[in-house]
Amino acid sequence: MAVLDGKTIIITGSSRGVGADTAQILAAQGANIVVNYRSKAPRANKIVKSIEEAGGKAIAVQADVTVEADLQNLVNTAVETFGSLDYLVLNASGGMETGMGEDYAMRLNRDAQLSLARLAAEKMSAGGRIVFVTSHQAHFIREVPTMEEYQPVAESKRAGEDALIAEIPALSEKGLSLVVVSADMIEGTVTATLLNRLNPGAIEARREVAGKLYTVNEFAQEVAKMVTAEVETGHIELVGGARGFID
């Protein structure tokens, strides 16, 4: 707990799913948590209440990560509320939504990730870290094909990962590190459920190849670990291994 006691962490897309569980895990370790949400305030406030009832500290901050002004407000609010910004978990992603424009996946999964990383880095304390959350389907998209419906998301998330990796020299100058955390399909997430609906049996097929698919909470535990893990900047954590992708 001493490692994160009093440290401030922004977690994007943390009103539900992996982000919400990661927020609660890190709050229990003493961190001040900034719960970011795009539109569902009651859901975000519920996570904050859960953290506070457990003795932790958290605030909910609305921010559409594709809007630059929202990102600046997110970072500023974190610092103004808790006095510092120490870690950033880039968990928010998407791209399968309809009516958001053809370039939405790239704007969300590449451009927004890089913009927030740069804004946060200006305020973060030396020794801090940015954690980018992705999937094996995206990380290995250039070597292993994915489902057609997920292709734009996979390509844009890999583009986001590459853009962040390219920022490592600039981050290192500020004393900051970058870690990428990747996993196979996660049981119970909106994306996995939707892909399984579009491709019946997709989850079972991946489970058979991988041997095990992580639950939301199990993956959140791994994401939380990488916030303070003793690894070099640029480390790629392949949660659960990557059977079917690298062997």
Side-chain angles (χ1 to χ4, degrees), residues 32-36 44-45 48 52 57-61 77-78 81-82:
N32 305 317
I33 303 298
V34 179
V35 176
N36 160 245
N45 290 331
V48 170
E52 292 178 337
K57 295 180 180 179
I59 58 167
V61 180
T77 302
T81 303
F82 296 117

Side-chain angles (χ1 to χ4, degrees), residues 7 83-87 120-121 123-129 174-176:
K7 301 294 186 180
S84 68
L85 176 57
D86 303 281
Y87 301 96
K123 301 287 187 179
M124 290 173 70
S125 310
R129 172 172 290 171
K174 295 180 171 67
L176 307 174

Side-chain angles (χ1 to χ4, degrees), residues 176-240:
L176 307 174
S177 61
L178 172 77
V179 171
V180 175
V181 186
S182 178
D184 210 313
M185 294 176 73
I186 304 297
E187 304 263 17
T189 60
V190 173
T191 298
T193 300
L194 178 58
L195 287 173
N196 197 62
R197 188 179 303 149
L198 295 169
N199 299 270
I203 291 178
E204 181 57 39
R206 281 306 315 156
R207 188 187 300 116
E208 188 171 323
V209 172
K212 167 187 170 60
L213 294 182
Y214 279 58
T215 65
V216 166
N217 188 260
E218 286 172 337
F219 184 43
Q221 295 281 353
E222 298 302 316
V223 172
K225 286 178 186 176
M226 296 314 298
V227 169
T228 56
E230 293 186 4
V231 294
E232 295 293 324
T233 188
H235 174 77
I236 311 293
E237 182 72 10
L238 300 176
V239 175

Side-chain angles (χ1 to χ4, degrees), residues 62-105:
Q62 188 281 328
D64 180 335
V65 298
T66 65
V67 177
E68 190 81 6
D70 283 10
L71 294 181
Q72 189 67 71
N73 180 63
L74 176 62
V75 171
N76 289 345
T77 302
V79 175
E80 290 165 5
T81 303
F82 296 117
S84 68
L85 176 57
D86 303 281
Y87 301 96
L88 170 64
V89 178
L90 295 169
N91 169 74
S93 68
M96 295 180 68
E97 301 86 342
T98 58
M100 303 296 282
E102 290 185 6
D103 65 341
Y104 180 65

Side-chain angles (χ1 to χ4, degrees), residues 21-169:
D21 278 27
T22 302
Q24 293 174 92
I25 292 164
L26 292 171
Q29 295 175 21
N32 305 317
I33 303 298
V34 179
V35 176
N36 160 245
Y37 68 97
R38 186 178 69 176
S39 60
K40 301 292 195 302
R43 197 161 60 191
N45 290 331
K46 183 177 180 181
I47 300 303
V48 170
K49 182 180 180 181
S50 175
I51 288 172
E52 292 178 337
E53 288 178 344
K57 295 180 180 179
I59 58 167
V61 180
Q62 188 281 328
D64 180 335
V65 298
T66 65
V67 177
E68 190 81 6
D70 283 10
L71 294 181
Q72 189 67 71
N73 180 63
L74 176 62
V75 171
N76 289 345
T77 302
V79 175
E80 290 165 5
T81 303
F82 296 117
S84 68
L85 176 57
D86 303 281
Y87 301 96
L88 170 64
V89 178
L90 295 169
N91 169 74
S93 68
M96 295 180 68
E97 301 86 342
T98 58
M100 303 296 282
E102 290 185 6
D103 65 341
Y104 180 65
M106 200 64 77
R107 287 192 293 113
L108 173 61
N109 297 323
R110 181 193 63 190
D111 302 344
Q113 310 299 320
L114 183 58
S115 291
L116 180 52
R118 286 174 170 171
L119 287 170
E122 291 300 318
K123 301 287 187 179
M124 290 173 70
S125 310
R129 172 172 290 171
I130 296 172
V131 177
F132 179 65
V133 181
T134 189
S135 66
H136 293 350
Q137 286 77 11
H139 180 70
F140 293 103
I141 188 59
R142 291 167 190 154
E143 293 83 27
V144 181
T146 189
M147 288 170 276
E148 181 180 355
E149 297 84 357
Y150 192 67
Q151 187 80 18
V153 178
E155 291 179 349
S156 60
K157 284 187 72 67
R158 181 55 203 248
E161 179 182 332
D162 290 344
L164 290 166
I165 292 291
E167 282 291 292
I168 286 178

